[in-house]
Amino acid sequence: MITAEQHEQLRGWFSGRIPEGLFERLVEVVVDREEITVVGRVPEPKLADDASPAERTAALDGRIQEFRERTRDERIAVAREAEHRYGRKVSWGAECGGRRAMFTQVSAPVMTRLRQPERQVLDTLVAGGVVRSRSEALAWCVRLVQSHTDDWLGELRDSLERVREVRAQGPDRASGPAEEENA
């Protein structure tokens, strides 16, 4: 995780670096160890007042796809700079009329050790046809927990940020016990 200040700097860099007019506005910049995800709002297509929900959905999906294809070269140029600067892959997404589409995202392997009761949970999901593999089952479980604990996870992230701030205010390590012994 990065500090709130580092996140603000990262968001600021993207706000300044993304070509003018690419997005109506930058909606979200999310970062973890492997990836930076950038999502922006694109203009809605103009539709007749009596457009059906199916027509509206298709038009929004079409606008997002058009944006993806039209801006590919610009987004790649920004992503290359950011990847060099921040050492993480960049993924893009767009919002239009309340719909969100992610274009390319990093799928990072995560290793874990599970005891038999945990493996049985994964195997039950596979056997029940909910997922195809233990790997998908674990990802499904993580998404389920995430969707039910967003508030709690947010509080935990805030607490971690506070711990970083307190650590940064601690005594200077250069004047620690080793230097005092040598004095």
Side-chain angles (χ1 to χ4, degrees):
M1 291 187 61
I2 63 173
T3 66
E5 182 178 347
Q6 289 169 328
H7 185 265
E8 290 169 7
Q9 290 172 351
L10 183 78
R11 184 178 173 90
W13 185 86
F14 275 98
S15 294
R17 179 55 188 90
I18 291 173
E20 189 70 36
L22 189 73
F23 293 123
E24 281 185 332
R25 80 174 181 87
L26 188 60
V27 174
E28 181 176 64
V29 177
V30 180
V31 63
D32 68 9
R33 285 189 249 177
E34 291 84 21
E35 176 181 29
I36 300 167
T37 302
V38 180
V39 179
R41 181 160 294 129
V42 298
E44 291 186 42
K46 305 234 184 304
L47 297 172
D49 292 338
D50 62 346
S52 70
E55 182 180 353
R56 177 173 163 67
T57 298
L60 294 174
D61 290 344
R63 175 56 53 92
I64 291 171
Q65 186 62 33
E66 182 276 333
F67 168 83
R68 180 182 187 183
E69 293 170 11
R70 177 176 44 84
T71 63
R72 182 172 279 121
D73 292 339
E74 292 172 296
R75 289 182 293 104
I76 287 172
V78 173
R80 283 189 178 134
E81 274 185 61
E83 288 168 6
H84 178 74
R85 182 181 185 112
Y86 297 107
R88 294 171 170 94
K89 289 292 185 187
V90 175
S91 299
W92 297 91
E95 279 188 2
C96 184
R99 293 185 63 81
R100 178 180 279 207
M102 300 307 298
F103 303 152
T104 320
Q105 292 182 284
V106 172
S107 180
V110 178
M111 299 298 294
T112 186
R113 295 183 185 278
L114 299 175
R115 300 200 187 286
Q116 189 177 38
E118 291 109 2
R119 293 191 311 267
Q120 287 174 332
V121 169
L122 302 181
D123 292 342
T124 299
L125 292 170
V126 173
V130 175
V131 294
R132 293 180 298 195
S133 66
R134 281 181 171 178
S135 177
E136 284 185 16
L138 189 55
W140 184 88
C141 290
V142 169
R143 286 190 300 273
L144 182 65
V145 169
Q146 178 187 20
S147 70
H148 291 291
T149 60
D150 280 340
D151 292 340
W152 181 82
L153 288 173
E155 288 179 31
L156 182 59
R157 287 183 189 108
D158 291 345
S159 295
L160 289 171
E161 179 63 25
R162 179 69 183 129
V163 167
R164 277 191 209 93
E165 290 170 4
V166 170
R167 282 184 182 152
Q169 296 170 3
D172 185 10
R173 293 183 191 262
S175 61
E179 280 194 17
E180 291 171 5
E181 291 174 10
N182 294 333

